[in-house]
Amino acid sequence: MIILESERLILRHQRLDDLEALFALYADPDLRRYIPDAPTTLEETREELAWHQHGHATRPELGLWATILKADGTYLGRCGLLPWTLDGREEVEVAFLIAKSHWGRGLATEAARAIRDYAFTTLGLQRLICLIDPANRGSIRVAEKIGMTFERAGEDEMGPFLIYAMARN
Ligand SMILES: CC(C)(COP(=O)(O)OP(=O)(O)OC[C@H]1O[C@@H](n2cnc3c(N)ncnc32)[C@H](O)[C@@H]1OP(=O)(O)O)[C@@H](O)C(=O)NCCC(=O)NCCS
């Protein structure tokens, strides 16, 4: 099912036949550098795909969606919305991952903007965040470009993170 479209991208539910493309992305060390819990095996990748193929399992209106280049149908990555509970507060994160072959063309920003608009307008969410490794300059810039500002730094079992956030208005 198609979730949303932007000028160059289609975001749709993941399908099990996305497995090889997604596994190839996760095999790239530059892509997984700031995603320490990304799947490492084909089986883990299949589990993640299955978990997201009808939307997020516990909040089906959210999820990681296959991100497809309209021009030629290339599977570029997975972008979307993920639910978290942080310090007892329900949050929704804008998540993005784009194939290295297509970095630097504004595609993550385009996806994140379209996801932001979908979250606020279609889903009626009031607040969005990005959870970012402090060294991940590209993601910080994407968060800023869609209108988020730095809110606070934190640390969990996977290491330090920054929270960027924005409210609906
Ligand atoms: C971070 C990522 C999504 C950026 O994708 P992208 O399509 O290249 O991003 P864009 O082309 O939209 O660029 C957005 C901005 O970030 C900047 N940027 C991108 N990568 C950067 C980097 N490594 N260092 C500094 N700035 C960077 C761009 O210059 C641009 O800013 P500008 O318009 O002011 O020049 C991509 O590198 C990626 O998928 N990384 C691996 C997955 C990941 O880390 N996801 C985020 C987890 S929180």
Side-chain angles (χ1 to χ4, degrees):
M1 187 181 107
I2 291 181
I3 307 298
L4 61 91
E5 288 189 43
S6 62
E7 189 188 341
R8 292 175 289 174
L9 301 170
I10 291 176
L11 272 64
R12 60 154 172 80
H13 278 153
Q14 302 267 25
R15 298 194 302 245
L16 292 181
D17 63 4
D18 294 325
L19 180 60
E20 280 187 22
L22 182 59
F23 182 61
L25 291 182
Y26 282 147
D28 180 344
D30 289 333
L31 239 85
R32 51 184 307 122
R33 176 158 300 133
Y34 303 117
I35 313 177
D37 55 347
T40 51
T41 65
L42 195 64
E43 198 41 46
E44 284 174 15
T45 310
R46 194 193 317 272
E47 282 168 19
E48 184 185 278
L49 264 188
W51 177 259
H52 284 282
Q53 66 176 321
H54 305 298
H56 189 273
T58 60
R59 287 189 62 183
E61 76 280 19
L62 311 180
L64 291 176
W65 304 309
T67 301
I68 308 295
L69 191 64
K70 278 183 186 174
D72 60 6
T74 303
Y75 180 98
L76 285 183
R78 88 298 179 275
C79 302
L81 294 165
L82 291 175
W84 296 103
T85 304
L86 295 176
D87 299 329
R89 182 176 184 178
E90 300 295 314
E91 301 276 19
V92 175
E93 178 192 17
V94 180
F96 34 82
L97 179 148
I98 296 287
K100 193 165 63 185
S101 55
H102 288 71
W103 284 1
R105 301 185 197 178
L107 289 165
T109 305
E110 182 175 322
R113 272 203 187 107
I115 292 167
R116 172 201 67 192
D117 293 347
Y118 176 80
F120 286 146
T121 306
T122 306
L123 299 181
L125 300 183
Q126 296 299 321
R127 176 180 147 89
L128 292 169
I129 64 166
C130 275
L131 285 167
I132 308 176
D133 184 305
N136 192 347
R137 299 300 312 165
S139 284
I140 291 172
R141 193 71 196 112
V142 172
E144 289 172 344
K145 289 188 74 164
I146 68 165
M148 291 189 176
T149 53
F150 173 72
E151 190 169 274
R152 70 178 174 89
E155 183 145 13
D156 64 12
E157 61 285 354
M158 289 198 291
F161 59 82
L162 308 177
I163 295 184
Y164 278 69
M166 70 189 299
R168 185 173 180 175
N169 297 314

